[in-house]
Amino acid sequence: MKGRAILTGEHFMHGDHACTEGAIAAGCRFFAGYPITPSTEIAERMAQRLPEVGGVFIQMEDEIASILAIIGASAAGTRAMSATSGPGFSLMMENIGLAVMMEIPIVIVDVQRGSPSTGLPTLPGQADVMQARWGSHGDYAIAAYAPWSPQEMFDLTVLAFNVADRFRIPVMVMSDEVVGHMVERVVIPPEEQIPRWERKRPTVPPENGFRPFLAEDDDLVPPLAHAGEGYRVHFTGLTHDERGYPDMSAETHHRLVTRLVEKVRRNADAMIRYEGYGLEDAKIVVISYGCTARSARRAIGQARAAGIPAGLLRLISLWPFPEKPLRELARQAEAFIVAEMNLGQMICEVERYVAQPVIGVNHAGGAMIPPAPILEAIEEVATRGARIGRRKASAG
Amino acid sequence: MAHALVAEKHPLDDLIRTDRMPHIWCPGCGIGIVMRCYAQAILESGIPVEQHVIVSGIGCAARTPGYMNLDSYHTTHGRPIPFATGLKLVKPELMVTVFSGDGDLAAIGGNHLIHAARRNVDIKVICINNFNYGMTGGQVGPTTPLGAKTTTTPYGNPENPFNFPYLLAAAGAVFVSRWTTIHARQVKEDILYTFHKPGFTFIEVLAPCPVGFGKSNNIDEGVEEMWLYRRRCVLAGRVPDETPWEALQVDLREERPIVVGRFVDEERPVYRPVRLEDKPSEHRG
Ligand SMILES: Cc1ncc(C[n+]2csc(CCOP(=O)(O)OP(=O)(O)O)c2C)c(N)n1
Ligand code: SF4
């Protein structure tokens, strides 16, 4: 008897397992990975679950091989994923660019730990968020999501596959050790309620001069022909023309790279996700994501109880960055506080869009930022006015 | 008056992206010969063209997929084998060939090479060995003989090279052969043979790179290297009893035999992903 692909129902589930179930529910049938704390439970559960549903699990020799294997599997038409943490994520960087250039959809989960280097293998971090956006060489754009709960490990993994397929880009799920190892209620909906965005596929038969990198639609996404379908398509990481043929001209290069970046920009509304708490009348806006947003939510609750008009903008998509809500909040807010478990990364993005003072609540990682330092920052702004600077959060 | 017979179409035309000609390869380069052998083997294989997939890394040899009218993937330096592994595992009905250079497969991609051989993934590797990095202008590589000159070993190579057949046999490849670009027939025959041989197969083809290894080591013309192959190549006996593995080490600069032939042709279980279709699964959830 085969296992069920979609475990519809209510569960008390581990974050990494919820991510695995999200992937399988989304139709992921290929996983290639290399064990690394704190993401290993994803690989282990994949090894158990994929054979049950007719999928393929393979443990590769390293993370470079892992990302290549998922790009290869996806090129053949299968939804494919890998999961890793900082050191492995670094090894994958060159080939994120390959997936971007070939426009082959893949999903990578980074369960972030304390970094750089080997850092704190078993403890949390959020310091790979800029790497997710900029880690591979060259100009490109991707999407990345930051789950704050096991439920979102499920939901955002499903979304990641849909965004990857719909727009032919690599999508990252930027989790962290706290969320990855947290056990919480996870509701898995029935199959028909799991959204599915399909890949755009060729509509002309192979003989009719299919041009695989010609994006005729406004969304700038060309249809994707899979290996073995008779289209005899050439895919290369070299700069290529609409036929997929290498073309070493500055003009073609500019046209291609601009389209790849513009493709994400133009479709950003479909990818962007965020959530607000108490923002309607907020004068002090806290911005946070992932596990840190859990502390931030508590901190703004405590501030509200003390009569301070604080609110939380929780970034669910880190990339594309939710700039619209931020620009709107800039009309009402007096100051912004960015709480993140790194020494100031997404704060740089916030600073790009607002003129108000932006204060960071930061910690290099190793333990969750508790609500207290975020509350202190809110109180300080409320009583003494905003003072630009980054604060050290003492993690509990 | 007799009419000249004009062939309108070469039988291999359909397999080659003629609209991409001229190619980038130098005069005297050996890669094109091997590409032709591959195309001929596809034609003779009886396997529909749509089922053939070619994957490469980066380098001169790795440009071959761009010229083949097939589903073709020109990946990153060193990485064709893991790409091909993922592709093959989800569509096992496809015939997946990795066509790349010695530097790509044995230096930056060396780890993937030995692990794929160990797993015995069903992919066909054709490795062009020109004893150096051609594309970047003739630097030392993992196959450059000890003492040989290259642009990054101007005083001679201080490193020992890999002995490809020995390495692949040890790693577990089920088929290992070596030929040179004068052995077009044997190369074609072996490619054809490996199409029908399940498992990880490896064909090494020694090929002239006159502007790289040739130039630095006084083999100025491609044709000169072809004559050298012709003079020195000997067919291997059974390894290791008749021909020891060490005899397979190649150094074009020395007047000694270059051993070619089939060295390994074995049966070993092919890597198959675990499937539970037939087995009862533990109930979950
Ligand atoms: C990560 C990375 N490092 C270096 C290079 C530069 N590079 C391109 S081809 C090549 C060597 C190719 O040599 P080989 O595989 O022997 O192929 P050949 O050109 O001789 O056919 C190198 C070092 C690259 N493209 N990517
Ligand atoms: S550099 Fe060497 S390998 Fe590359 S095309 Fe020229 S002759 Fe061939």
Side-chain angles (χ1 to χ4, degrees):
Chain A
M1 195 183 84
K2 285 172 77 173
R4 281 191 299 144
I6 301 176
L7 305 183
T8 303
E10 278 187 45
H11 306 264
F12 192 53
M13 201 179 259
H14 184 271
D16 282 350
H17 290 174
C19 172
T20 309
E21 292 306 330
I24 291 172
C28 171
R29 291 296 178 271
F30 185 84
F31 181 95
Y34 190 82
I36 183 166
T37 308
S39 75
T40 306
E41 296 86 346
I42 298 175
E44 287 172 345
R45 189 162 172 123
M46 280 288 187
Q48 174 100 37
R49 289 281 282 137
L50 278 175
E52 291 180 359
V53 298
V56 178
F57 169 89
I58 184 167
Q59 183 170 313
M60 298 300 286
E61 53 275 16
D62 59 30
E63 290 84 351
I64 303 178
S66 302
I67 183 170
L68 266 297
I70 66 171
I71 300 172
S74 181
T78 301
R79 283 191 162 186
M81 177 174 113
S82 188
T84 187
S85 190
F89 198 48
S90 290
L91 285 182
M92 292 181 177
M93 285 300 135
E94 182 195 8
N95 291 288
I96 285 171
L98 182 70
V100 166
M101 273 298 235
M102 290 187 166
E103 297 182 71
I104 294 180
I106 51 166
V107 172
I108 298 165
V109 182
D110 176 2
V111 187
Q112 295 166 89
R113 61 194 222 180
S115 52
S117 192
T118 309
L120 298 168
T122 61
L123 298 171
Q126 290 184 313
D128 306 350
V129 292
M130 279 291 168
Q131 185 186 22
R133 174 66 187 85
W134 301 107
S136 197
H137 53 287
D139 279 310
Y140 66 99
I142 48 80
Y145 297 95
W148 78 336
S149 64
Q151 180 68 54
E152 277 195 350
M153 285 291 265
F154 182 93
D155 297 339
L156 296 181
T157 303
V158 174
L159 179 65
F161 275 101
N162 285 336
V163 169
D165 271 18
R166 175 65 187 82
F167 302 108
R168 293 184 62 176
I169 53 171
V171 179
M172 290 134 204
V173 178
M174 301 301 293
S175 183
D176 54 62
E177 187 275 333
V178 171
V179 173
H181 284 166
M182 180 185 295
V183 180
E184 236 179 25
R185 180 168 178 264
V186 173
V187 179
I188 299 182
E191 184 168 359
E192 59 281 6
Q193 284 172 27
I194 293 176
R196 173 100 189 188
W197 306 354
E198 298 295 342
R199 292 180 183 186
K200 207 189 277 183
R201 309 274 285 119
T203 49
V204 294
E207 314 74 66
N208 288 14
F210 173 63
R211 277 184 289 167
F213 291 89
L214 177 65
E216 287 181 300
D217 301 334
D218 287 343
D219 64 9
L220 302 179
V221 182
L224 176 57
H226 298 147
E229 292 179 338
Y231 287 91
R232 308 211 218 164
V233 175
H234 187 52
F235 287 81
T236 176
L238 283 170
T239 293
H240 46 272
D241 62 17
E242 281 77 14
R243 294 170 300 176
Y245 290 179
D247 179 349
M248 300 297 101
S249 75
E251 192 196 340
T252 302
H253 183 69
H254 183 69
R255 191 167 67 237
L256 173 65
V257 178
T258 307
R259 178 175 67 75
L260 295 177
V261 171
E262 183 59 23
K263 177 174 76 168
V264 173
R265 209 174 277 162
R266 201 177 280 186
N267 298 297
D269 285 346
M271 303 178 205
I272 287 174
R273 297 287 184 282
Y274 56 88
E275 192 176 50
Y277 292 92
L279 287 177
E280 302 69 35
D281 57 345
K283 295 279 180 256
I284 300 169
V285 174
V286 178
I287 295 168
S288 195
Y289 52 90
C291 73
T292 310
R294 297 173 77 109
S295 294
R297 189 171 67 164
R298 167 162 284 240
I300 64 138
Q302 290 165 338
R304 285 269 167 188
I308 305 172
L312 168 67
L313 175 67
R314 179 168 77 92
L315 309 177
I316 298 173
S317 60
L318 299 173
W319 310 110
F321 183 75
E323 65 172 82
K324 268 191 212 154
L326 190 57
R327 284 186 198 279
E328 274 161 34
L329 287 165
R331 293 205 206 111
Q332 68 182 60
E334 283 160 14
F336 291 89
I337 293 169
V338 181
E340 51 185 344
M341 209 194 303
N342 55 49
L343 299 185
Q345 297 199 11
M346 294 309 290
I347 193 172
C348 302
E349 202 65 11
V350 174
E351 284 166 342
R352 291 176 62 188
Y353 299 107
V354 304
Q356 288 89 338
V358 185
I359 296 128
V361 178
N362 304 97
H363 187 279
M368 238 179 118
I369 296 180
I374 304 172
L375 180 62
E376 270 166 39
I378 297 171
E379 284 169 347
E380 203 171 305
V381 173
T383 53
R384 278 185 268 161
R387 183 176 50 81
I388 299 185
R390 291 189 185 156
R391 297 164 52 91
K392 269 184 270 154
S394 52
Chain B
M1 198 177 86
H3 290 278
L5 274 177
V6 179
E8 307 234 304
K9 213 170 174 304
H10 189 277
L12 294 179
D13 275 0
D14 180 53
L15 285 169
I16 291 169
R17 291 188 173 118
T18 47
D19 54 346
R20 287 221 56 219
M21 297 297 138
H23 55 69
I24 64 156
W25 296 317
C26 309
C29 176
I31 298 167
I33 297 171
V34 187
M35 168 171 153
R36 193 213 186 277
C37 297
Y38 173 60
Q40 186 69 34
I42 288 176
L43 204 67
E44 293 177 23
S45 69
I47 301 164
V49 174
E50 294 69 31
Q51 286 184 24
H52 283 278
V53 177
I54 179 170
V55 184
S56 70
I58 298 292
C60 298
R63 286 301 191 98
T64 304
Y67 303 126
M68 292 295 303
N69 191 17
L70 299 173
D71 281 323
S72 53
Y73 298 90
H74 177 224
T75 70
T76 43
H77 194 27
R79 316 303 169 198
I81 287 177
F83 183 102
T85 300
L87 194 148
K88 175 71 186 182
L89 292 183
V90 300
K91 275 204 177 150
E93 68 276 19
L94 300 181
M95 181 56 62
V96 182
T97 302
V98 166
F99 194 116
S100 228
D102 54 300
D104 187 76
L105 292 168
I108 190 164
N111 201 34
H112 307 313
L113 178 73
I114 57 175
H115 285 282
R118 170 182 65 77
R119 284 186 191 105
N120 201 19
V121 197
D122 188 16
I123 54 182
K124 315 293 132 201
V125 180
I126 301 168
C127 173
I128 306 288
N129 182 0
N130 53 21
F131 308 102
N132 79 145
Y133 292 171
M135 174 135 282
T136 42
Q139 295 78 23
V140 71
T143 51
T144 308
L146 184 70
K149 291 208 169 130
T150 70
T151 59
T152 48
T153 53
Y155 307 110
N157 179 20
E159 300 180 19
N160 282 304
F162 271 141
N163 175 338
F164 258 129
Y166 194 18
L167 173 70
L168 270 294
V174 291
F175 180 91
V176 180
S177 72
R178 170 197 283 156
W179 303 103
T180 76
T181 44
I182 58 160
H183 299 95
R185 192 175 303 267
Q186 291 88 336
V187 172
K188 190 264 297 179
E189 283 304 322
D190 272 8
I191 297 173
L192 196 55
Y193 182 78
T194 56
F195 283 159
H196 299 290
K197 165 114 198 161
F200 188 89
T201 65
F202 187 89
I203 301 170
E204 176 188 16
V205 188
L206 309 187
C209 172
V211 307
F213 188 82
K215 192 167 83 188
S216 302
N217 295 283
N218 303 319
I219 313 170
D220 295 317
E221 301 279 339
V223 69
E224 198 181 323
E225 189 161 324
M226 298 287 268
W227 278 109
L228 182 155
Y229 292 153
R230 203 192 144 113
R231 261 199 335 270
R232 295 208 215 134
C233 282
V234 297
L235 203 57
R238 270 170 44 88
V239 278
D241 5 316
E242 293 165 22
T243 307
W245 286 113
E246 299 77 56
L248 271 51
Q249 201 65 270
V250 190
D251 189 342
L252 298 185
R253 302 165 314 146
E254 283 174 18
E255 269 307 327
R256 61 183 174 91
I258 299 169
V259 181
V260 295
R262 288 185 181 179
F263 312 114
V264 177
D265 189 359
E266 293 175 354
E267 305 297 320
R268 220 158 55 77
V270 176
Y271 177 86
R272 302 241 182 269
V274 178
R275 300 267 182 186
L276 291 189
E277 261 91 329
D278 312 320
K279 295 182 204 159
S281 87
E282 292 155 47
H283 185 67
R284 174 193 289 281

